[in-house]
Amino acid sequence: MDKINLRAVYAKYGNAKYFSHLDLMRTMQRAIKRSGIPIWYTEGFNPHIYLNFPVALPLGTESYVEPMDFSVVEECDLEDLREKLDNAMPPGLNIISVKPQIMKNTDVASAEYDVTLSSENLSAEEIIEGFRSFISADTIEIHKRSKKKGEVIVDIKPHVIVTDISSEDGFVFMHFKLPAGNSFNLNVNTVLDAFADKTGISAGAVCIKRTKISAENGEDFV
């Protein structure tokens, strides 16, 4: 059976940001069934809706730029299809756009995040001072799990790009650019955990939001 490969961009926010990947997969499958779109099922002994999420979203992170790949079995008006999918979504999930797949999953290279921090014991200026000291170190070594090698020590310093640090009303605002994709993936929570571990600063993340996913050539993946 011929199929047409599509890529939806969806938002994940509110309580939905705490959905695990498995919860998200099940929720999306149920919503797609409710929508009535001509979805493509895998073939074989156990047919199921094919869904692929090219870039894992860290638990507790909001985003309005998340890609989800799926296929349909007939030509559709993409705006009508988007509307049907969006109407079937639960609170905290919205379908922003549906377009043909152009880039491959392997084209993903980086992701950007807005992070808001605060502390009951430290001022915003003290958090910023601590973070500048943390990020200016020659190396930032962490223990990272590898499927092939088990737990290994990795220096994440070359991979962490901080493009903005500011403060207002006791809150610290940071913008990160981190590697994402198949070759090397760095979770923003891993960076924040390393910051707390290396400095002893207990600054809690008030909000983490993914703002952009980019390909190797610098273009928006979605």
Side-chain angles (χ1 to χ4, degrees):
M1 180 184 294
D2 292 335
K3 58 189 176 75
I4 301 167
N5 298 325
L6 300 175
R7 175 166 291 142
V9 177
Y10 69 94
K12 188 183 182 193
Y13 57 94
N15 289 335
K17 70 183 180 181
Y18 298 111
F19 286 1
S20 68
H21 181 71
L22 184 58
D23 289 336
L24 179 65
M25 179 76 75
R26 290 170 175 167
T27 299
M28 287 296 189
Q29 288 176 335
R30 288 195 294 266
I32 287 171
K33 289 179 181 178
R34 287 196 300 269
S35 73
I37 67 171
I39 194 71
W40 179 77
Y41 284 75
T42 61
E43 299 171 349
F45 293 105
N46 183 31
H48 58 274
I49 294 175
Y50 167 80
L51 291 178
N52 183 55
F53 299 86
V55 194
L57 183 67
L59 190 68
T61 302
E62 294 188 348
S63 178
Y64 292 80
V65 295
E66 292 310 292
M68 177 181 70
D69 295 346
F70 63 100
S71 301
V72 293
V73 295
E74 61 185 59
E75 291 283 351
C76 301
D77 179 276
L78 295 185
E79 176 55 27
D80 179 63
L81 189 148
R82 184 208 67 80
E83 187 173 336
K84 287 179 178 178
L85 282 175
D86 189 52
N87 288 338
M89 291 291 144
L93 292 173
N94 287 114
I95 304 298
I96 297 171
S97 67
V98 178
K99 300 177 181 178
Q101 288 181 35
I102 298 176
M103 294 188 183
K104 299 177 181 178
N105 296 346
T106 53
D107 291 330
V108 174
S110 65
E112 298 182 34
Y113 302 85
D114 284 335
V115 177
T116 304
L117 299 175
S118 70
S119 172
E120 294 182 357
N121 305 316
L122 299 174
S123 66
E125 290 71 25
E126 288 173 315
I127 295 174
I128 291 176
E129 182 181 352
F131 190 84
R132 291 190 189 280
S133 175
F134 162 74
I135 204 65
S136 63
D138 292 335
T139 62
I140 303 174
E141 293 185 338
I142 65 166
H143 292 272
K144 200 172 190 297
R145 286 196 172 277
S146 168
K147 291 182 179 179
K148 294 182 179 180
K149 300 180 181 180
E151 191 172 273
V152 295
I153 296 176
V154 178
D155 179 16
I156 64 172
K157 171 64 183 290
H159 305 289
V160 181
I161 299 174
V162 185
T163 59
D164 182 65
I165 304 179
S166 61
S167 65
E168 185 177 346
D169 297 331
F171 294 97
V172 175
F173 305 96
M174 301 182 185
H175 188 80
F176 290 87
K177 183 177 180 180
L178 303 174
N182 294 327
S183 56
F184 186 74
N185 185 69
L186 187 57
N187 188 321
V188 65
N189 290 314
T190 300
V191 179
L192 297 177
D193 288 344
F195 168 51
D197 181 60
K198 304 294 184 185
T199 65
I201 293 177
S202 57
V206 177
C207 179
I208 303 176
K209 182 182 295 184
R210 180 140 73 187
T211 59
K212 188 176 182 179
I213 299 171
S214 299
E216 191 71 47
N217 60 8
E219 294 182 3
D220 284 355
F221 179 72
V222 297

